[in-house]
Amino acid sequence: MLNLILFGPPGSGKGTQAEKLIEKYGILHISTGDLFRYEMGNNTPLGLEAKSYMAKGELVPDEVTIGMLKNKVNANPHVSGIIFDGFPRTIAQAQALDSFLNEKNTQVTALVALDVPEDELVSRLLNRGKSSGRADDNDEAIIRNRIAVYKSETAQVFDYYSATGKSKLIPGVGSIEDIFSRLVTAIDEAC
Ligand code: B4P
């Protein structure tokens, strides 16, 4: 199985590139952000819980996120691979993912991280906020908090997978096509 982690700070282009990667590799796309937004849109108990964290730019608690992720993987048993978009975002999530994949006799193939300067992230997200209707994209203070949370809780996941030589840093500024080509080169090298 091709199990890719698409990694990077908020607004680095994970969702944008995931759309293109699933087309190329024919694998399942799991975005924990999209799953939470779906639950929020349907006012489920999970959605209501997630909303209180996401609106502030905080991470949803690990136990909630990990359970939701496992359900989504288990609901798709016959896929040839998965792009994990926005997951794992903490070391605890990374450890849970590794043991979960191990139980299925598979493992993470590679983590590809999009590298984008902070001011570019803020401007992309404020720009998206004009049309996305997302509460977490509209306010610069919340966006800055999301980036701070990324630095304090998420960035270490890159080092966690570096220890096994799986992490690759990809320049994430430029045209969407150029960034996509860089990702494909890195992924094909890892396979
Ligand atoms: P996510 O939904 O994962 O979203 P994101 O980090 O905001 O965005 P992404 O990097 O996918 O950016 P995109 O391609 O859209 O997370 C939202 C929230 O959900 C989190 O803050 C957290 O609360 C919660 N959550 C999710 N997963 C969690 C987890 N595992 N644990 C706990 N909590 C979790 O691109 C952004 C913008 O840039 C777009 O407008 C796009 O058009 C533009 N863009 C993309 N590429 C570009 C390029 N090359 N040049 C210029 N603009 C570009």
Side-chain angles (χ1 to χ4, degrees):
M1 265 180 89
L2 177 60
N3 296 309
L4 297 173
I5 298 173
L6 193 50
F7 194 75
S12 56
K14 302 183 293 290
T16 304
Q17 295 295 335
E19 292 304 320
K20 298 176 70 63
L21 291 168
I22 49 169
E23 210 173 290
K24 175 165 175 67
Y25 293 101
I27 58 182
L28 177 70
H29 177 205
I30 301 183
S31 157
T32 40
D34 286 351
L35 291 175
F36 285 133
R37 282 185 287 276
Y38 175 81
E39 299 287 338
M40 278 160 50
N42 287 295
N43 283 316
T44 64
L46 172 60
L48 292 174
E49 182 172 9
K51 193 174 189 171
S52 61
Y53 296 95
M54 289 172 74
K56 289 180 282 185
E58 304 290 337
L59 295 182
V60 181
D62 283 338
E63 60 276 18
V64 177
T65 308
I66 292 166
M68 181 182 71
L69 185 281
K70 287 183 176 176
N71 287 342
K72 183 71 180 177
V73 174
N74 286 334
N76 292 276
H78 302 302
V79 295
S80 59
I82 302 176
I83 292 183
F84 296 95
D85 166 5
F87 183 95
R89 263 179 156 97
T90 61
I91 296 286
Q93 290 181 16
Q95 289 167 336
L97 178 64
D98 282 351
S99 17
F100 181 57
L101 292 179
N102 253 328
E103 286 165 19
K104 297 181 179 301
N105 294 316
T106 184
Q107 57 177 337
V108 168
T109 311
L111 175 152
V112 281
L114 293 167
D115 185 24
V116 177
E118 182 161 336
D119 285 346
E120 169 77 10
L121 298 173
V122 174
S123 105
R124 285 185 191 182
L125 292 174
L126 284 173
N127 195 39
R128 183 172 69 184
K130 290 177 196 158
S131 57
S132 69
R134 279 176 55 171
D136 58 347
D137 281 349
N138 272 318
D139 179 319
E140 182 163 344
I142 292 173
I143 291 174
R144 298 256 178 215
N145 187 43
R146 289 165 65 193
I147 296 170
V149 168
Y150 172 81
K151 288 179 186 164
S152 63
E153 298 184 48
T154 303
Q156 304 92 300
V157 173
F158 183 91
D159 303 326
Y160 174 87
Y161 284 106
S162 288
T164 44
K166 290 182 177 173
S167 294
K168 291 167 190 293
L169 190 63
I170 312 294
V173 177
S175 76
I176 288 170
E177 281 308 324
D178 285 348
I179 297 165
F180 177 63
S181 307
R182 290 174 206 147
L183 284 170
V184 167
T185 304
I187 292 165
D188 290 348
E189 275 171 14
C191 290

